[in-house]
Amino acid sequence: MGNFTLAKQDFLLFGPAILLLAVLCYWPLAWVALQALTVKGELSFTTIATVATGQIFWVSTLNTIYLTTSVVLITALVGYPLAYLVSQASPLWSYTLKFLILFPFWTSTLVRTYAWVVILQRDGLLVNAMRMVVPDMTPVSFLNTRAASTIGMVHIMLPFFVFPLLASMESIKRDYLRAAESLGAKPIIAFWTVFFPLSLPGLLSSVIMVLMLSIGFYIIPIVLGGGKGAVISMVIEKSLSLYPDWAVASSMGLLLLLMSAVALTILNALANKAQSIWR
Amino acid sequence: MLKKMMFVAALSPLAMTAVAHADSITVAAWGGSYQDALRASFFEPTAKELGITIAEDNLSTGLADIRLQVQGKSVRWDLVDISAEECVAGEKEGLFEPLDYNIVKSDGIDKRLVGKSWIGFVYYSVVLAHNTNSKEATPKNWKDFFDTKGFPGRRSLGNFPSETLTIAAMADGTHVDKVYPIDLDKAFAKLEELKPNITAWWSSGTQATNLIMDNEVDYGSSWNGRIATLKASGAPVDWVVEGGVLNADCLVIPKGAKNKDLAMKALARFVSPDLQANLPKHAANGPVNVKAFETGKLTREEAAKVISSPENLKKQVLLDPQFWGDNIVGIQARWQNLVQ
């Protein structure tokens, strides 16, 4: 990266993208920062300090971290074997599986979320299915819980997890595994000592992807969570209409961005370290 | 070529504003079937009478939309329908044009819903509803609803402090006339007690009714319009008007509105008894002007079904916008802690 230089014509290539980002992302972001850090035109950290020490902010932040972490962990536990299966399958199977993973991706998030309501509610599909096994089961509801939010989000996040990981798994040559086995490693040992370390950079970029997308989730916790365990996005939304200026909501947004940046930096450092195995 | 394109791009915002003629106003409301009802009851008759065009737009978050337009000095709306609480808050912030009560006639409208720069528009109510297939005994009022021994079923309430704390203020049978000013500590304590029996804190009208219709809860609060529609369509739900929390939407002219004089005339028509009397034909919302019931447009039978008929008004409590305008910011943190 260090000896990377730019020719004039390169600007023509990525200029439009930079311009777009500047207008639609950097400029509004600067405005948000301005709202958070000024009072009547003067630089002031009062608002952001009040927000950062407030109970609402920390409770909702902890809720967000809890939800996001469970989503990332469960998505990883489900997604990794799935990506592995696809990467090892015959071309026809691999194609079919990819299609099946992508298929729900083309349905709107809102529709999929309401589908979970139908499945998880008291007289829902899940309970009815369970009744086939235990006919006199007392009706229970899985809806309106944190678990319901987590399930709904894992469903939405799975393709985002599988595809970056798959791209990196597919670039791992099978010869490496064969070489390990010909040197006497059992398949399971070959997997853990050769395949898994090589897939780590892909795994981490998938984790980053899911983490970043999950932090700002709003609709799913609202619809499936029953209003309990408010996440930070809900609190920001409430603050927008509650306070006469944008300072509180902007401060929360800024703090959220800061925490995301810290998480991202740590994960990126880990990913870089994992990447070094390839060199 | 690039220069030419940039020139066109720079012009396009101007092109868009040019559409708004002098004899036209833009009204923003909450969209959907609600806005269809407003159009049929108010917008179309007014447009015809005044010989103007009424363009429509939708709100996304409410007061924040107006704030953004006024502070950004690009006011696109001339007349906006928001909640009465938001009207009180917005007036404090100076976001609206003062109303001219020589043009706008406020007689027949509850004094608590007449501000310097806003006026009540339509009523809806948060009522006690239940699933008729539920095996649990049916609560008849909020006192029953808060009695978890006599009524051990599953419950839901709105994730809105003003409505739900007003309900909690009736937990020990307080008469609707004595609810305000609310004893907030007591109301919070009642909700804290009830919390283990609350399955969900709903945040939309659809969610409120679905919870009850799908038997996710046995009983809960719900907006009267949606639950009445469901009942009429044969769903296993019912509701009571007693103890309903009447809530008003209000009309405002955002500060710096381009056609504020015309908007004032339209607003005067919107709150007039004869157009207010149109509303019950198109929606479950009620007229905010009681004189609508004297116009002869509604028969006695029709009037009895309206949520804000003089008879029904006596059975319900008006959510006092002034009280919440003064208190809402302070209690928001307590509320968040409660619903955690």
Side-chain angles (χ1 to χ4, degrees), chain B residues 91-151:
Chain B
E91 178 163 287
K92 277 189 192 163
E93 293 170 38
L95 292 175
F96 317 134
E97 294 284 348
L99 297 185
D100 182 350
Y101 284 105
N102 293 318
I103 299 174
V104 180
K105 299 279 170 264
S106 69
D107 3 327
I109 302 174
D110 193 307
K111 288 285 157 283
R112 288 169 288 180
L113 298 178
V114 181
K116 284 194 181 64
S117 60
W118 62 275
I119 190 162
F121 182 30
V122 300
Y123 275 129
Y124 63 95
S125 189
V126 183
V127 296
L128 172 55
H130 66 272
N131 185 308
T132 51
N133 290 339
S134 159
K135 288 171 193 76
E136 304 289 341
T138 305
K140 299 268 182 297
N141 50 47
W142 296 117
K143 193 181 174 189
D144 292 351
F145 186 83
F146 276 80
D147 170 13
T148 51
K149 288 200 183 68
F151 303 85

Side-chain angles (χ1 to χ4, degrees), chain B residues 184-198:
Chain B
L184 287 170
D185 290 336
K186 207 169 131 192
F188 266 110
K190 285 285 175 194
L191 285 173
E192 201 65 59
E193 231 179 275
L194 191 66
K195 196 170 137 179
N197 295 62
I198 304 255

